[in-house]
C-alpha cells in the first residue's frame, strides 16, 4: 500500500512532466577566424522560450572533440536570458590550437577538413521546476580555410 507522500510525489512528477519547457537546437560548426596561436570556430545554440516572461540561463557548457580528442571545452557562466515568447541565439566560440591541427595532419591532409563532435549542455532556471539542462550535440566535417580564403 503506497503512502500519501508517494501519491503526492507521483502527482507532482506527472504535473511537472507536462509543463512546457524551452527547446534548443545546435547549428553545425563553422570557421570564424584565425590568429597566430589558433583558429577560432563557432556554433550557435538557438533556444525557444514558450513562456511570456524571459528565463535566466544559468550556464552553458561545451566540449569540442576532433579526431576523438578533446580540443576545446569550457563553461560560460550566466550567459544571459532567453527572450519571452521568442527564440534567442547564443554563440559558442571555441579555439583550436595549431599544435593540435599538426597532430591530426593525416586527417586534415586528405580533404582539408576536420571531423568533429560538439557537445553542449544548456542549463536554464525554470519556474517551479528549478534548474533544467538541455543536452545538445552536433557532429560533422568542418572545412578549414585555405591561403586563398585568407587573402
Amino acid at each position: 500500500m503506497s503512502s500519501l507522500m508517494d501519491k503526492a510525489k507521483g502527482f507532482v512528477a506527472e504535473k511537472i512532466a507536462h509543463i512546457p519547457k524551452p527547446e534548443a537546437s545546435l547549428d553545425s560548426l563553422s570557421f570564424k577566424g584565425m590568429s597566430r596561436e589558433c583558429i577560432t570556430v563557432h556554433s550557435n545554440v538557438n533556444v525557444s522560450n514558450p513562456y511570456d516572461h524571459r528565463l535566466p540561463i544559468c550556464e552553458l557548457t561545451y566540449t569540442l572533440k576532433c579526431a576523438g580528442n578533446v580540443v576545446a571545452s569550457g563553461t560560460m557562466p550566466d550567459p544571459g536570458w532567453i527572450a519571452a515568447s521568442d527564440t534567442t541565439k547564443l554563440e559558442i566560440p571555441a579555439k583550436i590550437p595549431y599544435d593540435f591541427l599538426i597532430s591530426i595532419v593525416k586527417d586534415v591532409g586528405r580533404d582539408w577538413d576536420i571531423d568533429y563532435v560538439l557537445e553542449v549542455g544548456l542549463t536554464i532556471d525554470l519556474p517551479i521546476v528549478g534548474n533544467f539542462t538541455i543536452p545538445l550535440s552536433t557532429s560533422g566535417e568542418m572545412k578549414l580555410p585555405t591561403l586563398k580564403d585568407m587573402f
Side-chain angles (χ1 to χ4, degrees), residues 29-34 38-43 62-66 71-74 76 91-97 117-118 142:
L29 201 63
S30 60
F31 176 76
K32 183 169 182 176
M34 58 191 314
C38 62
I39 64 169
T40 303
V41 295
H42 73 122
S43 181
Y62 65 92
T63 302
L64 174 62
K65 298 176 185 174
C66 297
V71 292
S73 64
M76 297 168 59
E91 182 182 15
I92 305 170
K95 296 182 178 187
I96 303 174
V117 174
L118 177 61
M142 183 190 66

Side-chain angles (χ1 to χ4, degrees), residues 48-107:
S48 63
N49 181 356
Y51 300 113
D52 61 357
H53 58 278
R54 66 186 191 155
L55 296 172
I57 303 170
C58 300
E59 71 177 12
L60 185 143
T61 58
Y62 65 92
T63 302
L64 174 62
K65 298 176 185 174
C66 297
N69 299 312
V70 174
V71 292
S73 64
T75 299
M76 297 168 59
D78 193 24
W81 296 80
I82 304 169
S85 302
D86 201 2
T87 299
T88 300
K89 184 181 284 192
L90 301 168
E91 182 182 15
I92 305 170
K95 296 182 178 187
I96 303 174
Y98 288 124
D99 60 350
F100 173 77
L101 293 176
I102 291 168
S103 73
I104 61 165
V105 75
K106 284 186 227 170
D107 183 45

Side-chain angles (χ1 to χ4, degrees), residues 2-19 128:
S2 62
S3 71
L4 180 60
M5 188 60 112
D6 289 338
K7 287 181 182 178
K9 284 180 186 177
F11 177 77
V12 170
E14 184 180 321
K15 292 300 178 190
I16 288 175
H18 297 294
I19 292 175
I128 301 169

Side-chain angles (χ1 to χ4, degrees), residues 117-140:
V117 174
L118 177 61
E119 298 168 343
V120 174
L122 178 66
T123 304
I124 301 166
D125 185 12
L126 290 178
I128 301 169
V129 176
N131 287 356
F132 174 73
T133 300
I134 302 172
L136 302 163
S137 179
T138 187
S139 61

